[in-house]
Amino acid sequence: MSESLSLSRFSSEKIMSYALVFFTSLVIFFIAQVIQFYLGAYDFNTMYISFCAGFVLFIPLVSLVLHPLLLNKEGKRDTFHFSDLLANIGLVCVVQFLFFLIWITDAIALYSIYVDQNSFLAKAFDIQTQARGDMTFEFYCFNFVLAWVFALLSMVVGLLPCLIARLDNLGIVGNFVAAFSLAKRHKGMFCLYALLITSSVLVPLLYAKYLFLVVFPTVLVWVFISLNEKYLLLPTSKK
């Protein structure tokens, strides 16, 4: 009887997690459409990809609603405290906010230098250079690579520490060390996951916007569960 109640509760939590990840994807999609509309109104369509690259930074926050999908609570240590998990989440939010500031600064500077030096952005930041020209292709390539780097950092610095804090809390510093250890062991896998996440965000939003609501949640759930399984296979993880 208790097992059936536990499974029923897990099923409801699982459904809620899928619903929340779809809802958060819908929110990101709505924000993207509003930004695209206003950029088009001011003839800044080229800069839309920079904002799309920035949406990758939402991954750690969106992944928080996926934790109820995992039933392997035996991975926790006896010293696990919910307050420790909240501390990790708070630290991750601070790190992601700093990444966001770096991203928006680089995006504004790059756009003003290579795309439109007559824009109000260039004038507001007093950007002047002789390297004028049509750098649209390079601008798109740079933003795709930037989004890939953000996806990689978001997994290692944002998603993994919270996941480890839930499974096998090692303290704030220990959780980050374990996250980097896992990334070091599986460099190729993390690079591939970052590429998949980047593609699931940029490609649909740029070329098939409604597909984003299907591709992004699916890729994020798959990556999240895969990272959970990889961490549990580490010899340092206590099951």
Side-chain angles (χ1 to χ4, degrees), residues 73-232:
K73 295 183 180 180
E74 65 275 10
K76 293 182 179 179
R77 291 182 183 269
D78 295 334
T79 56
F80 177 83
H81 296 288
F82 185 70
S83 59
D84 294 332
L85 176 58
L86 290 180
N88 279 278
I89 294 173
L91 185 59
V92 164
C93 290
V94 171
V95 172
Q96 291 298 297
F97 179 71
L98 293 177
F99 283 152
F100 179 81
L101 292 180
I102 295 173
W103 159 72
I104 194 65
T105 302
D106 291 343
I108 290 174
L110 192 68
Y111 177 84
S112 301
I113 292 174
Y114 292 117
V115 180
D116 186 6
Q117 294 182 10
N118 295 319
S119 68
F120 78 92
L121 295 173
K123 295 177 181 177
F125 287 88
D126 193 26
I127 296 176
Q128 298 178 358
T129 179
Q130 300 299 321
R132 302 188 63 175
D134 185 7
M135 299 289 289
T136 302
F137 177 75
E138 289 82 355
F139 183 72
Y140 272 66
C141 290
F142 172 83
N143 278 280
F144 191 89
V145 174
L146 185 64
W148 178 82
V149 172
F150 281 154
L152 198 58
L153 291 175
S154 294
M155 283 190 295
V156 178
V157 182
L159 192 157
L160 271 179
C162 289
L163 180 62
I164 294 172
R166 177 192 176 278
L167 294 173
D168 194 15
N169 201 343
L170 306 172
I172 294 177
V173 176
N175 292 336
F176 278 91
V177 171
F180 280 99
S181 175
L182 180 61
K184 185 178 180 180
R185 286 171 179 258
H186 303 280
K187 299 186 212 50
M189 180 193 73
F190 272 80
C191 291
L192 176 61
Y193 285 176
L195 180 61
L196 291 175
I197 291 175
T198 301
S199 301
S200 71
V201 174
L202 295 187
V203 175
L205 287 178
L206 290 174
Y207 304 109
K209 56 184 181 180
Y210 293 109
L211 195 61
F212 172 82
L213 297 174
V214 177
V215 176
F216 174 68
T218 302
V219 171
L220 184 60
V221 170
W222 181 76
V223 168
F224 181 80
I225 295 176
S226 297
L227 289 177
N228 171 73
E229 294 175 350
K230 290 295 182 183
Y231 175 72
L232 289 177

Side-chain angles (χ1 to χ4, degrees), residues 10 13-25 58-73 85 89 155 159 162-163 166-167 197 215-228:
F10 176 67
E13 290 178 348
K14 189 174 181 180
I15 293 173
M16 181 63 70
S17 292
Y18 283 129
L20 286 175
V21 74
F22 178 78
F23 174 75
T24 52
S25 301
F58 288 126
I59 289 172
L61 299 179
V62 175
S63 65
L64 294 180
V65 304
L66 295 176
H67 286 270
L69 287 176
L70 308 177
L71 192 60
N72 45 14
K73 295 183 180 180
L85 176 58
I89 294 173
M155 283 190 295
L159 192 157
C162 289
L163 180 62
R166 177 192 176 278
L167 294 173
I197 291 175
V215 176
F216 174 68
T218 302
V219 171
L220 184 60
V221 170
W222 181 76
V223 168
F224 181 80
I225 295 176
S226 297
L227 289 177
N228 171 73

